[in-house]
Amino acid sequence: MSSLQDQLDEITANTRKLVQAERLAISERSVEDLFASGIEDRILPIGAQVPEFSLKDARGKAVHSKDLLSVGPLIVKFFRGRWCSYCATELETWRDLYGRIREHGAVMVAISPQTARQNDFMAGQHGLPFPLLSDPGNKVATQFGLTYTLSETMQQYYKSILVNLTFINGEPSGTLPLPATYVISRKGNILFAEAHSDFRVRPEPEEALAAAFSAR
């Protein structure tokens, strides 16, 4: 069975075959600029206490972090949106691991800035069993140090490939979260934290699972 990163690398290879080089260069420059900003060094790190949060799920029901942590260790996936094929592939990988997560007494949520309606579409399309939570304007992502503002060039680039973030996210800030994986202990401290400026790179789930399953 191929690793998650192998699957993501295949998406990248196929994209490079299909998309013009000058258009790919726009996205490449954006990744380089984001990395140069040092955002990866500012994410909420291992050992930090997580701020409490409350976000709505795809059906509009409020989900509180405190309630989740009362059940068990919490895996939190921050993702960009259903329009991102890398995010969809990653969440499908987590979908297939969800049985193990629950067997070990852990819980999981995935958070993005997209609207509840978009989350509802995504959960149905990909058969996702864990809650997808809406983070309007990336307010919770900002507390984790993950939020950045797209350049005007990138916003126009996304529009040119029919990704209208203002519509998808229900607000015009032009912000996105770094794709990130966190594991939080029942006491609310971070056991695992990883985020990458390059949206094509994600940690292997087994690394996060090891942290979650060893949590007390």
Side-chain angles (χ1 to χ4, degrees):
M1 183 176 166
S2 60
S3 71
L4 171 58
Q5 194 57 55
D6 286 341
Q7 295 176 63
L8 301 182
D9 289 345
E10 188 174 338
I11 295 172
T12 301
N14 290 335
T15 302
R16 286 178 174 152
K17 290 176 192 172
L18 297 170
V19 180
Q20 295 168 318
E22 59 268 27
R23 291 171 67 80
L24 284 174
I26 296 170
S27 181
E28 294 281 359
R29 278 197 301 273
S30 175
V31 168
E32 290 168 6
D33 291 345
L34 189 55
F35 180 77
S37 75
I39 188 172
E40 290 181 17
D41 299 326
R42 298 191 293 272
I43 71 167
L44 211 57
I46 290 172
Q49 196 73 13
V50 169
E52 285 188 24
F53 61 83
S54 177
L55 297 171
K56 290 184 178 178
D57 66 13
R59 302 304 169 92
K61 178 186 173 186
V63 175
H64 305 279
S65 59
K66 191 174 180 181
D67 294 339
L68 294 167
L69 290 171
S70 72
V71 177
L74 174 61
I75 299 168
V76 179
K77 270 300 319 165
F78 286 91
F79 70 102
R80 304 194 305 164
R82 65 188 288 255
W83 52 271
C84 172
S85 56
Y86 295 87
C87 296
T89 298
E90 183 181 28
L91 291 184
E92 286 179 347
T93 299
W94 281 101
R95 172 197 67 198
D96 297 341
L97 294 167
Y98 189 65
R100 281 177 61 200
I101 292 169
R102 296 300 298 123
E103 282 171 14
H104 283 79
V107 288
M108 177 177 179
V109 296
I111 299 173
S112 85
Q114 67 188 6
T115 64
R117 184 172 175 79
Q118 297 289 328
N119 277 334
D120 194 32
F121 286 149
M122 187 175 194
Q125 182 180 5
H126 299 281
L128 303 177
F130 41 80
L132 301 186
L133 307 182
S134 292
D135 182 19
N138 289 292
K139 291 183 175 63
V140 172
T142 297
Q143 292 181 295
F144 280 74
L146 301 169
T147 304
Y148 63 97
T149 302
L150 290 163
S151 67
E152 189 60 37
T153 302
M154 272 308 292
Q155 292 188 54
Q156 291 303 319
Y157 170 78
Y158 280 134
K159 284 179 183 175
S160 77
I161 57 173
L162 305 181
V163 176
N164 184 340
L165 291 176
T166 298
F167 173 76
I168 292 167
N169 295 345
E171 56 87 30
S173 69
T175 59
L176 284 176
L178 292 185
T181 306
Y182 278 91
V183 176
I184 305 163
S185 78
R186 296 187 70 176
K187 294 179 180 178
N189 59 297
I190 295 171
L191 304 174
F192 180 93
E194 189 166 329
H196 294 276
S197 300
D198 189 339
F199 60 88
R200 298 163 297 195
V201 178
R202 313 288 168 100
E204 292 300 327
E206 290 298 335
E207 300 171 33
L209 290 179
F213 296 166
S214 63
R216 294 288 180 267

